[in-house]
Amino acid sequence: MGVAALCAAVIMPSVPAMAAPSTGGSQLSAFAPTVCEPNAKKYKVTQLKKPWTITHATRHENAAESTSPYTIKAEVQTVVKATVTVTVGGESEAGAIFAKVKASAGFAVAGERAKTTTTTVSVTTTMKPRKTYVFFSGVRKVSVQWALNQCNSRGTAVVEKARGTAKTFGAKTTGAVQCGINAKAGSLAAKVEKTLC
C-alpha cells in the first residue's frame, strides 16, 4: 500500500450508519407528562340535591278564646336514612364520601347507617286563639352521585375505579307554623304550610 493511501486510511476511518430514531408507542408513553400523584385516590360528588323533608308533623287547632302555649307531639311521617350504594366497581369508603358531601352541601350531614328518629318529637309554641297550627320536625335530605378516581402507577392518567350514589341528611329542624301566615319562602315551615295546612 502506498504512503498516501495508508495516511488516508488512518485519517479517515469508516463511520457506521446511524440508526433512525424509533417512533414506537412504548417510547412515547415513557415520556408522557405527569398529571397526578401515582396511585393517589380521590372521591368526587356531583348532582347534589338537598330538599326539605318533613319527618314529623301534627296539625292542631287552638279552640280557646285566648293565646295559649301548647306542647304537641309531632307524629312520624317518614324516616330518612344515610346510605352508600355502589353501582360500578366494588370499592367505597363511606367516611370519605360523606366528607365530600358535607363540603358540597355546606352543612354537617349524618354518617352511614344513621336515620331520623322513629318516635314522636315534642314541639312547643304559643298559639293564637281560633288558629290552626302544624307542629313539625324535618331535615334536609341530601342525595349525590359519587365517583372514585385513581391515578395510575406512573402518574400519567386518571381512571375511574368505582361509582355509585349516597343519601344522607342534615340537622333536625323543629317548629310550628300557623296556617295561612305565608311562611318564608324556601323554609321548612313554608313546605309544611303548603302541604299540611
Side-chain angles (χ1 to χ4, degrees), residues 146-166:
W146 64 266
L148 171 60
N149 297 322
Q150 184 173 14
C151 184
N152 65 17
S153 60
R154 300 187 304 277
T156 57
V158 177
V159 295
E160 185 180 274
K161 302 292 289 184
R163 62 181 138 98
T165 61

Side-chain angles (χ1 to χ4, degrees), residues 45-51 97-110 140-144 168-171:
V45 296
T46 58
Q47 299 184 41
L48 173 73
K49 298 177 182 178
K50 48 182 182 179
I97 293 170
F98 285 126
K100 284 290 186 181
V101 175
K102 175 184 176 181
S104 297
F107 51 79
V109 297
R140 282 198 178 275
K141 184 177 180 179
V142 184
S143 63
V144 299
T168 183
F169 55 92

Side-chain angles (χ1 to χ4, degrees), residues 54-72:
I54 303 165
T55 58
H56 299 71
T58 295
R59 182 171 166 155
H60 187 77
E61 180 182 356
N62 179 12
E65 296 294 340
S66 59
T67 298
S68 305
Y70 281 85
T71 297
I72 301 295

Side-chain angles (χ1 to χ4, degrees), residues 20-28:
S22 171
T23 58
S26 59
Q27 266 197 316
L28 289 177

